[in-house]
Amino acid sequence: MENVLLFIVGVVIIALGLAVSIALHEVGHLVPAKLFGVKVTQYMIGFGPTVFSRRRGETEYGLKAIPLGGYISMIGMFPPQKEGGKVRRTSTGFFRTLVQDARKASADSIGDDDVRSFYRLPVYKRVIIMLGGPTMNLLLGIVFFAIVLCGFGIAGPSTTVGSVSSCVLPASSTRQTCEAGDPVSPGAAAGILPGDTLVSIDGTAVSSWDQSTAIIRASSGKTLAVVVTRDGAQKTLSVTPLLTERDTTQVVNGQVQTVTDASGKAVTEQVGFVGIGYASQLVPQPITSVLPFVGQNVAGVANTIVNLPQRLVGVANAAFGNGTRDINGPISVVGVGRVAGEIATIDIPLASKVATLIGLLGSVNIGLFVINLVPLMPLDGGHIAGALWEGLRRRLAKLFKRPDPGPVDTAKLMPLTFVVVIFLGGVSALLMYADIVNPVNIFG
């Protein structure tokens, strides 16, 4: 019962974080739109029927029943077919009707406030408005990851012993357990226990696990005095590292990694071996590590989008067949909630749970940032692309002394927008189904 409650708490926390992220995304559009004089008639969180709303000035602020997004309504999103022209219905074709309906809805929203229409703004102002939402998500991602990296830290080696091998196994051995006849490890023979904190080795104060490893590897056959803290008191132990063949390791970004050759095979060397492993701890990172970390996340999301067809095939195989989910693949809001619930229930320190949930929100916001920049309507990137194309056309017309071509008629893209909406809806449905029947197994 306790785990169920913790799971619910995790889901609720991430849901609230998502709601705040969506709300601030729309604020990123709302604020510059109002600063530039565009008439904004609605600011809504969610879709579907309105649950609550209140009008302040000319804008209606509210919540809708389906909390899977949000929007602001600006008048004059699409220009008329011709400068100063009227909307006309000239075809009953489905896609033509989509275009005409979009123009009509835009014209109806304008009323007597044409000068405050979105399409009348200079290109750079329209770009700023449409970039406002994704930029807000990027800033939120930076803030969340800064809290995680600098406030909590990332898991790294501590100077506390996390494990002690009972025996010595060759580096080439595939066994994970000891058998009769295996030599006892020097660490076990010396009486080192998990939970001991290394204070000094052979008179040298230990400040990092990497330092202790270097001393041990260079001291095969030499008896070392190892001072540890156990139960609040210091204890001196004698240990003699055994000369063995071990994998060569190096510390990368606070993590101990095995060095491999060009073929991927582990590189080994003859070094001193005691048979102790470190306990992980959260190590705060410098503020300079935040932006590179965010950059890696942006690149990861972009790579997922570029390879989306292949990724979706894998998701479909996992949902309807015997495939397994890729932990680095796309997930839906259902999957995000499920991961949050699992984080809340696993047996790790509270600080680690909080850090992981904040990091999850950071990842979601980076995902929203990248996805919204895809240059397809109805995404923000589609409106940005339309504005930039208009700016390029006008600049070329001015350069070659041609008449101003006027605003780009982005309403003509409504058929493509319709296809994109159907595609995104299908992707969302597939991911939600997969996250229910065969969710991503983050924790093994």
Side-chain angles (χ1 to χ4, degrees):
M1 184 63 180
E2 180 181 354
N3 278 349
V4 173
L5 292 176
L6 288 174
F7 187 94
I8 294 173
V9 168
V11 172
V12 170
I13 289 174
I14 208 71
L16 291 174
L18 284 172
V20 171
S21 298
I22 292 169
L24 290 177
H25 174 100
E26 298 307 328
V27 168
H29 293 308
L30 178 71
V31 172
K34 284 185 171 290
L35 287 175
F36 294 148
V38 178
K39 184 176 180 179
V40 181
T41 57
Q42 283 188 316
Y43 169 93
M44 291 289 174
I45 304 303
F47 301 104
T50 301
V51 175
F52 165 81
S53 70
R54 175 173 295 177
R55 180 171 295 278
R56 296 190 62 179
E58 63 189 14
T59 306
E60 178 188 11
Y61 300 85
L63 299 174
K64 289 186 173 287
I66 306 174
L68 296 179
Y71 66 91
I72 67 169
S73 293
M74 296 179 285
I75 68 168
M77 287 295 293
F78 302 113
Q81 190 166 10
K82 292 181 180 179
E83 186 70 27
K86 296 183 178 179
V87 177
R88 296 179 297 165
R89 290 188 178 275
T90 59
S91 171
T92 57
F94 177 71
F95 289 119
R96 173 63 68 181
T97 301
L98 282 177
V99 175
Q100 293 169 351
D101 285 347
R103 288 201 190 103
K104 183 177 186 304
S106 178
D108 290 344
S109 71
I110 293 173
D112 297 326
D113 293 309
D114 186 53
V115 293
R116 300 182 61 194
S117 296
F118 175 77
Y119 81 89
R120 286 195 174 276
L121 289 178
V123 168
Y124 79 92
K125 290 187 177 181
R126 276 179 278 161
V127 171
I128 290 174
I129 291 173
M130 300 315 297
L131 272 179
T135 300
M136 185 65 77
N137 290 126
L138 175 61
L139 293 175
L140 287 172
I142 292 173
V143 169
F144 286 137
F145 283 131
I147 293 172
V148 172
L149 295 175
C150 304
F152 291 92
I154 60 175
S158 68
T159 56
T160 299
V161 178
S163 62
V164 180
S165 301
S166 299
C167 62
V168 179
L169 296 175
S172 59
S173 176
T174 58
R175 287 193 287 120
Q176 300 294 322
T177 58
C178 297
E179 296 179 355
D182 290 334
V184 177
S185 74
I192 299 176
L193 299 176
D196 288 349
T197 298
L198 301 178
V199 177
S200 66
I201 299 178
D202 199 31
T204 302
V206 173
S207 58
S208 69
W209 189 265
D210 189 42
Q211 179 190 17
S212 68
T213 300
I215 295 173
I216 291 170
R217 287 182 168 239
S219 304
S220 60
K222 177 183 178 181
T223 300
L224 303 174
V226 178
V227 179
V228 301
T229 299
R230 180 185 299 170
D231 298 328
Q234 289 192 355
K235 188 176 181 66
T236 301
L237 306 171
S238 295
V239 61
T240 304
L242 180 67
L243 181 64
T244 60
E245 185 181 47
R246 296 287 108 188
D247 292 341
T248 302
T249 61
Q250 61 182 358
V251 178
V252 179
N253 295 327
Q255 302 294 317
V256 178
Q257 297 181 358
T258 300
V259 177
T260 57
D261 58 21
S263 65
K265 184 179 179 181
V267 177
T268 60
E269 57 183 335
Q270 295 288 327
V271 295
F273 174 76
V274 169
I276 57 176
Y278 64 84
S280 295
Q281 69 177 5
L282 294 177
V283 180
Q285 303 297 302
I287 192 68
T288 53
S289 68
V290 176
L291 291 183
F293 190 85
V294 171
Q296 292 173 9
N297 274 262
V298 170
V301 176
N303 179 67
T304 298
I305 293 174
V306 170
N307 297 287
L308 188 59
Q310 178 184 348
R311 302 271 188 167
L312 291 179
V313 170
V315 173
N317 289 335
F320 302 105
N322 298 320
T324 56
R325 295 290 297 277
D326 180 2
I327 62 172
N328 295 315
I331 61 176
S332 69
V333 65
V334 172
V336 172
R338 189 162 188 162
V339 170
E342 291 177 356
I343 291 171
T345 59
I346 59 177
D347 186 20
I348 58 175
L350 179 60
S352 296
K353 291 183 180 182
V354 174
T356 307
L357 287 173
I358 294 175
L360 182 60
L361 282 173
S363 297
V364 169
N365 273 278
I366 295 301
L368 291 173
F369 165 69
V370 178
I371 291 170
N372 273 288
L373 290 182
V374 173
L376 292 172
M377 292 175 63
L379 301 174
D380 297 330
H383 292 282
I384 293 170
L388 292 177
W389 173 241
E390 177 183 320
L392 178 62
R393 287 203 321 166
R394 286 182 155 171
R395 181 63 61 89
L396 291 175
K398 184 177 181 179
L399 180 64
F400 293 103
K401 301 184 182 339
R402 295 174 181 170
D404 186 346
V408 169
D409 189 5
T410 49
K412 290 181 179 179
L413 297 176
M414 287 308 297
L416 176 60
T417 302
F418 179 80
V419 173
V420 172
V421 170
I422 295 298
F423 173 75
L424 292 178
V427 170
S428 297
L430 172 62
L431 292 177
M432 286 182 183
Y433 179 75
D435 287 334
I436 293 172
V437 300
N438 191 359
V440 174
N441 189 358
I442 300 289
F443 305 104

